[in-house]
Amino acid sequence: MTDSESTSSSGADDAAPGTRLEASRVIAAPADRVFAVLCDPEGHVAIDSSGMLQSAEGSTVTASGDRFVVHMDRESLGDYDLGRYDVTVIITRFEPGEEIAWTIDGTIKPPIGHTYGYRLTRLGGGDESGDHTGERTEVVSYYDWSDAHPKWRDSGILPVLDASALKATLGILERAVRRGYVRG
């Protein structure tokens, strides 16, 4: 597993230095199984390492522009007392089995404008008969605030999470996929 500050990847080739975090992990599962968890609003809650995501409402994501609501509680970070609040997740990139990314809109105005996402790369395994045993997927979790509204980007509150939170979420994602994640 690696983590880094990066300035290039799909959708972020012009990211300013120091405005993007990434972490990666190889998961012993087919990309479609991993992607299914990432398309489920409750899947986001199930794999969240920060403790902020409490529950979600909405349908499984199928395209850019899809939205769902996440009920949040920032108390777990111990930084800002926002109480319980809701955000709307807005899907900004959707490439089935390959990439999903989103921004949020909530009570904070103007919207922050940061982006979270996952890129999946099939590493092979399995066989021609359709046996997925041995398939592996590299999953890159990224957090990019290069397009954040200047009010927030320059305020010192970003990044909200650090690379260790991205790494931890990837570990939880692997566990969820391995155990056969089922919508709660």
Side-chain angles (χ1 to χ4, degrees):
M1 183 173 1
T2 63
D3 65 275
S4 65
E5 288 194 16
S6 172
T7 58
S8 66
S9 73
S10 49
D13 291 336
D14 57 354
T19 59
R20 184 180 179 90
L21 298 173
E22 291 189 354
S24 67
R25 184 180 187 110
V26 174
I27 296 177
D32 61 337
R33 283 191 34 219
V34 176
F35 201 70
V37 176
L38 302 174
C39 291
D40 183 347
E42 282 292 336
H44 286 246
V45 176
I47 67 171
D48 169 46
S49 70
S50 74
M52 289 191 300
L53 283 67
Q54 300 297 301
S55 62
E57 296 177 29
S59 299
T60 299
V61 171
T62 61
S64 289
D66 283 359
R67 297 168 177 251
F68 60 88
V69 173
V70 177
H71 305 292
M72 307 284 290
D73 183 352
R74 196 162 171 125
E75 183 177 333
S76 63
L77 295 184
D79 56 357
Y80 299 103
D81 183 13
L82 300 176
R84 294 186 182 268
Y85 61 100
D86 292 344
V87 298
T88 299
V89 171
I90 305 163
I91 303 301
T92 58
R93 277 184 85 77
F94 188 86
E95 297 175 30
E98 296 179 14
E99 186 168 12
I100 185 170
W102 63 93
T103 190
I104 60 168
D105 189 15
T107 57
I108 295 176
K109 300 297 180 197
I112 296 172
H114 50 218
T115 300
Y116 295 92
Y118 293 90
R119 281 189 327 277
L120 286 68
T121 303
R122 290 172 172 85
L123 299 177
D127 64 28
E128 293 178 15
S129 71
D131 178 7
H132 296 297
T133 304
E135 280 193 49
R136 297 177 319 130
T137 304
E138 179 184 31
V139 182
V140 175
S141 175
Y142 60 88
Y143 173 40
D144 187 318
W145 60 98
S146 60
D147 289 331
H149 188 281
K151 175 179 178 178
W152 306 115
R153 188 184 58 236
D154 301 336
S155 70
I157 68 166
L158 298 174
V160 173
L161 302 173
D162 61 21
S164 66
L166 299 180
K167 284 194 234 183
T169 294
L170 288 171
I172 299 167
L173 173 62
E174 179 175 24
R175 182 178 63 210
V177 170
R178 187 178 66 242
R179 289 185 174 177
Y181 170 77
V182 177
R183 184 177 181 134

